[in-house]
Amino acid sequence: LLIQMDIGQKLSQQGRIKMEHMLTRLQWLVGEEKIKTLEGKKVLLFGCGGVGSFALEALVRSGIGHIVIVDGDQVTVSNINRQLIALPSTVGQRKVEVAKERALAINPNLYIEAYDMVYTGESHPTFITDIAPDFVIDAIDMVSAKLSIIETCYNRNIPCISSMGTGNKMWPDQLKITDISKTHTCPLAKVMRKELRRRGIKKQTVLFSTEQPMTPNRDDDSRSPGSCGFVPSVAGLHLAGHVIRTFLEVQ
């Protein structure tokens, strides 16, 4: 028992020592002042699923100091194939709580707020402005909510990047970040282009796939898309990468 306690104490001490150097490799790329820049930023992330969970992971591991996560769902068995927070042990738990716990396990110094709710502009009209984020990542599926997020950010001059569809896709190398006006192929992007034009919004940074969607192979009547473990994850990393590069002014 004493030996086990000694080992535990040593591992704990090693963990504290390593935390001091958590961002050493990133600092080698961007310099100490840029690390301080990231520590002073607040990112609002909508969605902790297949795309959002990986975006969160990259934000935390890049040293963002303040993150706000929003999701009103719980982990299900069908999430396990693609969502970072989905494990047999987390099935049934609220996604934001699992995501928050994982984020703090990576960086205990992180300030993270978790909102277990389904966001809509009607139910939470001042939510984004009250949070006052430096950047917003939209990684949710509901079109009306996506439009509300984008419109609010547009009107408040808050930087925002929105993920288009990653379901029914198999090729992560066909994911691109561009303006909504330059999107094609993606059914969700088509709807978003039309609805944003109706709102007078002509510019919006999005991530989309140039891949033709596959037809799901199933016997039920569900309209939910099929999904793999390597397209949504890469999309999430792309979203976080865009935010980090923007903060660091990396061209």
Side-chain angles (χ1 to χ4, degrees):
L1 178 60
L2 290 175
I3 294 175
Q4 292 175 343
M5 289 177 63
D6 288 343
I7 292 175
Q9 289 171 354
K10 288 180 180 179
L11 289 174
S12 178
Q13 291 171 355
Q14 290 172 358
R16 287 196 294 270
I17 292 171
K18 290 177 181 178
M19 283 305 302
E20 296 175 5
H21 304 287
M22 172 183 166
L23 300 174
T24 296
R25 296 300 181 98
L26 180 57
Q27 184 173 317
W28 290 351
L29 285 177
V30 303
E32 184 176 356
E33 289 303 313
K34 295 295 186 179
I35 297 299
K36 293 179 181 178
T37 295
L38 296 177
E39 290 175 349
K41 295 298 184 181
K42 181 195 297 185
V43 177
L44 171 56
L45 170 63
F46 288 95
C48 295
V51 175
S53 61
F54 280 87
L56 175 62
E57 185 87 358
L59 293 173
V60 174
R61 293 184 184 274
S62 298
I64 295 296
H66 188 170
I67 301 176
V68 182
I69 54 176
V70 180
D71 198 301
D73 203 0
Q74 67 179 22
V75 179
T76 64
V77 173
S78 64
N79 297 154
I80 295 176
N81 82 313
R82 70 195 183 283
Q83 298 187 14
L84 196 60
I85 59 173
L87 304 167
S89 60
T90 63
V91 169
Q93 297 182 37
R94 306 306 295 177
K95 286 185 178 179
V96 288
E97 292 304 321
V98 179
K100 180 178 179 179
E101 182 178 353
R102 179 179 176 87
L104 290 172
I106 296 168
N107 181 10
N109 297 320
L110 171 68
Y111 183 59
I112 182 167
E113 300 176 66
Y115 290 86
D116 189 349
M117 68 183 195
V118 177
Y119 171 85
T120 67
E122 293 75 20
S123 60
H124 302 89
T126 66
F127 179 75
I128 295 176
T129 51
D130 289 343
I131 295 295
D134 297 300
F135 218 112
V136 171
I137 297 177
D138 157 35
I140 58 178
D141 299 324
M142 189 165 60
V143 172
S144 59
K146 297 176 81 69
L147 290 169
S148 176
I149 291 168
I150 291 172
E151 187 171 21
T152 299
C153 290
Y154 180 83
N155 291 334
R156 301 293 187 275
N157 199 29
I158 300 171
C160 173
I161 184 167
S162 179
S163 176
M164 300 294 101
T166 61
N168 297 331
K169 309 290 176 67
M170 288 289 285
W171 293 91
D173 57 326
Q174 296 194 43
L175 293 165
K176 299 182 182 299
I177 292 177
T178 188
D179 186 75
I180 186 68
S181 63
K182 298 180 181 179
T183 58
H184 54 85
T185 309
C186 174
L188 177 56
K190 181 179 180 180
V191 174
M192 294 295 291
R193 282 198 309 271
K194 177 181 177 181
E195 293 299 323
L196 289 174
R197 281 198 301 267
R198 288 180 56 189
R199 290 162 171 77
I201 299 174
K202 299 178 181 179
K203 294 281 187 180
Q204 173 59 43
T205 303
V206 300
L207 176 141
F208 86 109
S209 173
T210 62
E211 178 186 355
Q212 287 287 350
M214 300 174 67
T215 301
N217 181 19
R218 61 178 176 230
D219 298 326
D220 58 41
D221 296 327
S222 172
R223 299 181 62 184
S224 298
S227 193
C228 63
F230 43 85
V231 174
S233 56
V234 173
L237 296 176
H238 270 310
L239 293 173
H242 174 81
V243 172
I244 298 299
R245 288 191 300 271
T246 302
F247 287 153
L248 299 180
E249 300 179 335
V250 175
Q251 302 297 322

